[in-house]
Amino acid sequence: MKHLDASLQPALPAAVPVRWSTWALLAGLLLLVIASFATLPLKWGEFFSADAVRTTADFLHGFAPPELAPNFLIKVGVATFETLAMSAIGTLIAAILGALLALPASGRFGALARNATRAVLNVLRSIPELVWASILLIAAGLGPFAGTLALALHTVGVLGRLFADAFENCPPLPAATLRINGARPAVAFLYATLPQCSPQMMSYTLYRWENNIRAAAILGVVGAGGLGQMLKYHLSLFQMQSAATVIIAMLLMVAAVDGLSYLLRRAMTR
């Protein structure tokens, strides 16, 4: 095939000019980073000193070998299942409520409902899971129930915002075609908008489930059950070998769920 003459090839569009406000923002961020390093007392020399390395090595040596007694492994298995259950139920509740709140948050019921719902979602996700768990422990008591609610409340704010953005960015032509042919708005949403957004929504949900498993393992530190509560208990008693077994269980659980979630996302987004 002969190459087209250079004069006949379409010219590239001109580069988009960068506004002065963009340069000002980048300069401000750079100054903020420089000021952060200048003001924080980062003692890198002490961190990598021989005494610090020796103390860290002695501390890590106390974790070996991990506790492998059968009765203790059964307790770790029960706590692992409890952590998985907390994350799964919390994510499921958050996905359902997030989808419901995403409808007004995407502007389908007017600007007032959109702004009000997005404000609620902002509040829910701006409060970390540990803070939610500390608050809910007062009302629900110690145990996994408070941890599950804490995960659900924080994740509702995250998934509700992501789902709303997915609805807003969905191509409107399929739904508009159904509306033109006499379909009601709810029917057009269920048969056009939702099928287009569902793979992306499922991907968001699975990703948040991965994050919630890590969070559920930490929520036990404040008494919300699961592996985190076991880890806090054994560390507080300086039972390092038992704590090492709990940490290994956390790592294996997170790695297994990460792999499973990746395979599910890959299968659903093809």
Side-chain angles (χ1 to χ4, degrees):
M1 189 187 326
K2 295 182 179 181
H3 293 285
L4 294 175
D5 187 81
S7 60
L8 299 178
Q9 293 181 359
L12 294 175
V16 178
V18 181
R19 296 181 297 179
W20 67 268
S21 58
T22 302
W23 290 112
L25 177 61
L26 293 176
L29 292 175
L30 179 60
L31 290 175
L32 180 61
V33 172
I34 295 174
S36 299
F37 277 95
T39 55
L40 289 177
L42 300 177
K43 302 178 181 179
W44 296 107
E46 296 182 9
F47 182 76
F48 292 104
S49 64
D51 185 58
V53 173
R54 183 173 56 256
T55 303
T56 303
D58 293 339
F59 176 74
L60 294 177
H61 182 71
F63 286 94
E67 177 63 53
L68 298 178
N71 291 336
F72 184 73
L73 291 180
I74 292 175
K75 293 180 180 179
V76 172
V78 172
T80 302
F81 177 78
E82 191 173 82
T83 302
L84 284 171
M86 287 170 54
S87 64
I89 296 174
T91 305
L92 178 62
I93 295 173
I96 296 173
L97 295 180
L100 294 177
L101 292 175
L103 294 175
S106 62
R108 295 181 177 272
F109 299 103
L112 180 60
R114 180 182 186 276
N115 294 332
T117 308
R118 284 185 175 256
V120 173
L121 295 176
N122 289 339
V123 171
L124 290 175
R125 71 171 178 271
S126 64
I127 301 177
E129 296 94 334
L130 278 173
V131 179
W132 276 122
S134 301
I135 296 172
L136 292 169
L137 283 172
I138 301 174
L142 296 174
F145 182 56
T148 303
L149 292 179
L151 291 173
L153 287 175
H154 178 79
T155 310
V156 165
V158 177
L159 291 181
R161 173 61 185 273
L162 293 175
F163 291 171
D165 291 343
F167 290 154
E168 286 187 335
N169 297 328
C170 183
L173 184 59
T177 303
L178 291 179
R179 293 292 307 277
I180 291 174
N181 286 277
R184 292 177 296 176
V187 174
F189 173 80
L190 292 175
Y191 284 91
T193 304
L194 188 60
Q196 293 181 92
C197 298
S198 57
Q200 189 176 11
M201 294 170 64
M202 183 58 65
S203 179
Y204 287 146
T205 303
L206 290 173
Y207 178 70
R208 285 304 308 179
W209 182 39
E210 296 176 23
N211 294 338
N212 284 343
I213 286 177
R214 300 182 185 93
I218 302 301
L219 287 182
V221 174
V222 295
L227 289 173
Q229 189 165 343
M230 285 192 69
L231 181 62
K232 179 187 177 182
Y233 173 78
H234 291 293
L235 285 178
S236 63
L237 297 178
F238 296 99
Q239 298 174 353
M240 299 305 181
Q241 296 176 342
S242 299
T245 303
V246 177
I247 293 173
I248 292 173
M250 286 183 177
L251 295 176
L252 293 176
M253 177 186 64
V254 170
V257 173
D258 281 353
L260 176 62
S261 178
Y262 170 76
L263 294 176
L264 290 175
R265 289 202 312 271
R266 186 176 179 183
M268 297 192 65
T269 54
R270 282 182 177 178

